[in-house]
Amino acid sequence: MTRRFFLTLTAGVAAAQILKPRIGYIADREGCLRAVEGVAGAFTVSDVLERDVLSAAYSGRALVVKRAEQVRIDDRMLESPQGPATVVFDKKGQPAEIFFPDAGVLWTWNGKGYDAAPAQDVISDVYIRSGELLVRGVPLRLPQTVTRVSQLGEGWLVAYTSETIYAVKGEQVFELPEGEDAKGGQE
Amino acid sequence: MKRFLALSLLCCAAATAQMQLLQVTGPGAEREVAEVLAFGSVPVGESAAVTLRVRNTSQASLVIRTVVLGGTGFAMTGQPSLPHQLAPGFNMDVTVRFAPRDFGTYSANFSVNGVGILLTGSTTAAATLWNGTTQLPSGSATDFGLAERGTSIVKTFRLENTTQQTVSVQSAAVTGTNFKLAQAFPLPMELAPRNAYEFAVVFTPLSSGVFQGSLVIDGRTYRLTGSANEPPFPKPTIVVELPNPSSAQQGKVSVHLSQASRSIGTGKLRMEFTGGSDDAVRFTRGSSRTATFDVTEGISIPLPELTFQTGTTAGTIVFTAEVGGWTATASVEISGQRVFIEKSRVVKNASMLEVEVTGYDNTRSLDELSFTFYTSRGEVVQPGAIRVNAAPDFKRYFDSTTVGGVFTLKAVFPVSGTTTDISAAEVQLSNARGAAASGRVTVQ
């Protein structure tokens, strides 16, 4: 929801908006893209934005959505290898590397496009070892075995287990609420 | 030992010109009775019944003055009060029951208005079945009453030899789900005269409902009945784990039972909120404010841990657990507080400053905003603190959403002159509880 109002200053005029805070995006267990909104500890999950999504990553600036044979980076659609994608963002929040583990292919941004090369993994300060999530080498204990991790938003990670999706910020771990049924009913 | 009774017959035939003596053999079926009516062989403790019919075969009314039955082991029922007028062609029925209590041969005299027949019967030696002081004839039913599913009711029976001979019991069994003999019968069993054997039958219903079984002894069947209901559910309690009962928290709630359940069923845990529309007040799994759980036998914590959120609105969260007719509640009070600022950011370009503040106001009464900008030397940039009354706009925003008290405020400030030396900003937001400040935020 956007509301505008005007501030009258002695030096000029300012404009303002009041919005619903958006934390980031997830691909839920049914393959639906949903927005995560609110603040830490008070999350809401939006209705389905897109279906048949294998993975999603959001830096706060750029959103990368992976479908079967396509990857969408904001408005750009690119043909890609099959399977989910692991995205590493640069300091400006742009996807610098995209790794496709099922295909063993790594894309690297060269300033104009992506160079593809075979790879076994991507170097990242977030990874999973024996079902445990490590952030900058520090293990983060979650109640269940982590199967997948992605960037939820600026400063946020999303960790997937067999039963629950967790939002992680620093050392804080939160359970993300489940969204409404992808078919339209309440879960 | 045989017993004989002296009989005195007033007439050689069982019928006279006025009346006819018949035996009812079935619905609409009858036959004339001869001088002797044999009841056959009946086990001790059992009985056999015959319906005798007196018909007025004359053209005039017949007065029945006497109906007599004399002899051990025989009894009569159904006779009318006497004298009894029997119209022409009409019948009078009487039931005679032979129920020997001891081994032997029996006979009795049955007469109507002096016209009589000889009744005979004999017994086979057999033990009689008793429950306490009540003798149970075959075909009778013994009710075990109402039991809770999974518990047992025991009834003790007694096989008694009331005869002067040794009686042999060849077979004894209990049939029917939920009924069984407490101990196997020592078969074949010899019961000496006047001796008895006690045994127990156990009724253990494994489900609720009405049940039937049978106790069969040497071909004689005695019915067993019983019913069962579900044991009561234990009382539930709600345990809430919320170290910091305030907004924007995740806690855990569980449902405990006062003891391990013996019942099977389902329960429900509901979450209600008095503070207004806030989608973030919810469970994180399943339906947003309702959770169902199963109760199985032996379980004492049917809902171990369910994560919930307190949202970003002041109010009271009420949990209600319903199971097996019990209701338990627990509540958490979320107090109003100053605006909570989660993050602040200030970005500049050549001519503009953009301030972004994300947080929540759980009282939804945010009114005054104050923006102050600083130079790299820490001096306040003119015109100093810029104050804005944003109450109407925030009220419109809060009224139009269901997201509770969360917000992101983006305010843009045009700058006349250069923004180069503007290096920090501070934002202050006030609500009904007071003012909250972002602290000095470095301009990016």
Side-chain angles (χ1 to χ4, degrees), chain A residues 38 62-63 96 98 100-101 129:
Chain A
L63 173 62
I98 304 177
F100 305 94
R129 183 181 64 193

Side-chain angles (χ1 to χ4, degrees), chain B residues 229-383:
Chain B
N229 59 4
E230 284 294 311
F233 278 90
K235 190 176 176 183
T237 54
I238 298 172
V239 176
V240 178
E241 292 175 46
L242 184 65
N244 180 13
S246 60
S247 286
Q249 299 296 310
Q250 287 192 341
K252 293 201 186 291
V253 60
S254 53
V255 177
H256 295 230
L257 300 176
S258 56
Q259 61 190 51
S261 178
R262 289 183 289 122
S263 302
I264 299 169
T266 57
K268 186 181 288 188
L269 178 66
R270 286 184 290 113
M271 186 180 186
E272 290 164 304
F273 182 60
T274 65
S277 184
D278 190 339
D279 292 341
V281 177
R282 58 164 293 166
F283 299 124
T284 58
R285 300 183 67 177
S287 173
S288 63
R289 292 189 183 176
T290 303
T292 57
F293 51 90
D294 293 326
V295 180
T296 54
E297 281 191 73
I299 210 163
S300 59
I301 305 179
L303 187 63
E305 271 188 346
L306 186 61
T307 302
F308 70 94
Q309 297 185 149
T310 60
T312 53
T313 306
T316 305
I317 298 173
V318 179
F319 296 100
T320 303
E322 294 166 336
V323 59
W326 293 101
T327 299
T329 61
S331 60
V332 175
E333 192 70 35
I334 306 297
S335 301
Q337 61 186 80
R338 297 179 188 180
V339 174
F340 178 83
I341 299 173
E342 182 176 79
K343 66 178 180 181
S344 310
R345 184 167 66 181
V346 184
V347 177
K348 69 178 177 184
N349 61 27
S351 60
M352 303 261 272
L353 291 162
E354 182 180 283
V355 178
E356 183 177 305
V357 179
T358 295
Y360 63 83
D361 170 18
N362 76 352
T363 67
R364 305 192 200 178
S365 61
L366 215 158
D367 47 17
E368 187 177 271
L369 311 174
S370 171
F371 303 86
T372 306
F373 298 90
Y374 301 86
T375 67
S376 57
R377 293 174 299 280
E379 296 163 342
V380 175
V381 174
Q382 294 305 308

Side-chain angles (χ1 to χ4, degrees), chain B residues 3 39 104 122 132 142 187 198 201 216 272-273 316 330 341 343 345 353 368 375 395 410:
Chain B
R3 299 183 181 176
F39 279 69
S122 62
T142 300
L187 295 171
E198 272 200 359
V201 175
V216 183
E272 290 164 304
F273 182 60
T316 305
I341 299 173
K343 66 178 180 181
R345 184 167 66 181
L353 291 162
E368 187 177 271
T375 67
K395 185 178 187 313
K410 290 186 177 179

Side-chain angles (χ1 to χ4, degrees), chain A residues 34-97:
Chain A
R34 298 179 189 264
V36 177
E37 295 164 329
V39 296
F43 304 95
T44 55
V45 176
S46 74
D47 292 339
V48 173
L49 302 175
E50 286 177 40
R51 300 178 193 275
D52 303 320
V53 171
L54 298 178
S55 63
Y58 180 61
S59 65
R61 301 261 177 96
L63 173 62
V64 181
V65 177
K66 180 67 174 66
R67 292 170 170 272
E69 292 175 346
Q70 289 177 331
V71 61
R72 193 182 83 245
I73 303 170
D74 290 332
D75 296 334
R76 290 177 297 154
M77 195 75 76
L78 303 172
E79 297 296 317
S80 71
Q82 291 214 2
T86 301
V87 181
V88 177
F89 294 95
D90 63 21
K91 290 180 181 178
K92 294 182 180 177
Q94 298 303 315
E97 290 176 309

